[in-house]
């Protein structure tokens, strides 16, 4: 798998340091909510690793929940058509919700998800994304927490995949074009 990587963008140490910083920022920002804590929501499967690491760095009560959403079909680019395959198990009305996202690419799926979650009337709704791609066509989404800005390349590792491979790489790298 490592031979398929053209360049490592963020090392395991870079990621751990940035997740620590985001966790500390969330702990500080939600200190007034120390009794009820926050609900972290991850979209399966890519963001699950980021959310698990992030949850351990937040020094507040944390409830974790997951959604499965499909928007890519069989292609490498988003189709713009979003389907919920697995919904939340938790009620989020009146709760402080943070969506833990692996990568903000086009933003089409996240825009849909945020509208869907907002309709459930949480007390607050924010986004913590590990990666934000630098693209011109990206939807306008405010992220309270951004781990890293990254180039508009095909990125894998630390939960991000191509054809369900490379998620288990401990770093984030650019996949060689000949692989996809």
């Amino acid at each position: 798998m490592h031979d398929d990587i053209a360049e490592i963008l963020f090392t395991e140490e870079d990621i751990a340091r940035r997740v620590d910083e985001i966790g500390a920022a969330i702990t500080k920002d939600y200190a007034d909510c120390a009794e009820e804590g926050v609900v972290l929501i991850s979209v399966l499967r890519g963001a699950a690793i980021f959310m698990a690491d992030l949850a351990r760095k937040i020094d507040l009560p944390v409830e974790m929940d997951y959604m499965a959403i499909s928007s890519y079909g069989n292609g490498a680019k988003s189709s713009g058509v979003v389907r919920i395959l697995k919904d939340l198990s938790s009620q989020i009305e009146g709760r402080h919700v943070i969506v833990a996202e692996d990568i903000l690419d086009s933003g089409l799926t996240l825009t849909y998800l945020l509208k869907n979650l907002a309709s459930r009337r949480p007390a607050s709704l924010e986004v913590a994304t590990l990666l934000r791609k630098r693209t011109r066509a990206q939807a306008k989404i405010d992220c309270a927490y951004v781990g890293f800005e990254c180039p508009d390349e095909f990125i894998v590792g630390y939960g991000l995949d191509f054809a369900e491979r490379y998620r288990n790489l401990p770093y984030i790298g650019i996949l060689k074009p000949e692989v996809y």
Side-chain angles (χ1 to χ4, degrees):
M1 287 191 312
H2 302 283
D3 291 339
D4 294 343
I5 305 303
E7 176 187 350
I8 295 175
L9 294 175
F10 306 107
T11 66
E12 187 173 2
E13 295 77 19
D14 294 335
I15 296 166
R17 183 172 42 257
R18 194 64 188 114
V19 171
D20 284 351
E21 292 167 359
I22 294 169
I26 290 171
T27 300
K28 181 179 177 227
D29 292 349
Y30 289 87
D32 292 344
C33 311
E35 192 167 313
E36 67 268 20
V38 298
V39 179
L40 285 180
I41 295 174
S42 167
V43 176
L44 294 172
R45 300 175 198 154
I49 292 173
F50 171 54
M51 185 169 89
D53 287 349
L54 181 60
R56 289 189 293 256
K57 299 302 178 179
I58 298 172
D59 192 20
L60 300 166
V62 172
E63 182 176 337
M64 297 166 59
D65 206 341
Y66 303 88
M67 293 182 81
I69 296 176
S70 171
S71 68
Y72 282 85
N74 295 326
K77 295 284 185 190
S78 178
S79 65
V81 176
V82 179
R83 293 182 317 136
I84 295 177
L85 305 176
K86 182 216 173 292
D87 207 345
L88 297 175
S89 301
S90 308
Q91 296 294 323
I92 61 169
E93 183 174 348
R95 314 261 325 262
H96 296 284
V97 174
I98 301 170
V99 176
E101 182 68 292
D102 54 355
I103 187 166
L104 178 52
D105 195 341
S106 70
L108 295 174
T109 303
L110 187 55
T111 297
Y112 171 86
L113 177 63
L114 292 172
K115 285 180 185 174
N116 181 290
L117 294 175
S119 73
R120 303 175 195 206
R121 302 185 353 223
S124 66
L125 179 60
E126 297 292 350
V127 175
T129 186
L130 181 62
L131 299 170
R132 185 174 201 145
K133 278 193 179 181
R134 294 186 291 260
T135 63
R136 288 181 294 190
Q138 192 174 84
K140 187 91 170 135
I141 297 174
D142 291 324
C143 296
Y145 312 96
V146 177
F148 304 99
E149 297 285 334
C150 69
D152 189 10
E153 300 282 350
F154 202 112
I155 310 294
V156 295
Y158 194 72
L160 298 157
D161 77 302
F162 172 66
E164 296 303 323
R165 297 187 65 189
Y166 309 102
R167 289 189 196 277
N168 58 320
L169 292 175
Y171 54 81
I172 296 169
I174 298 172
L175 191 63
K176 290 179 180 175
E178 61 266 23
V179 175
Y180 60 92

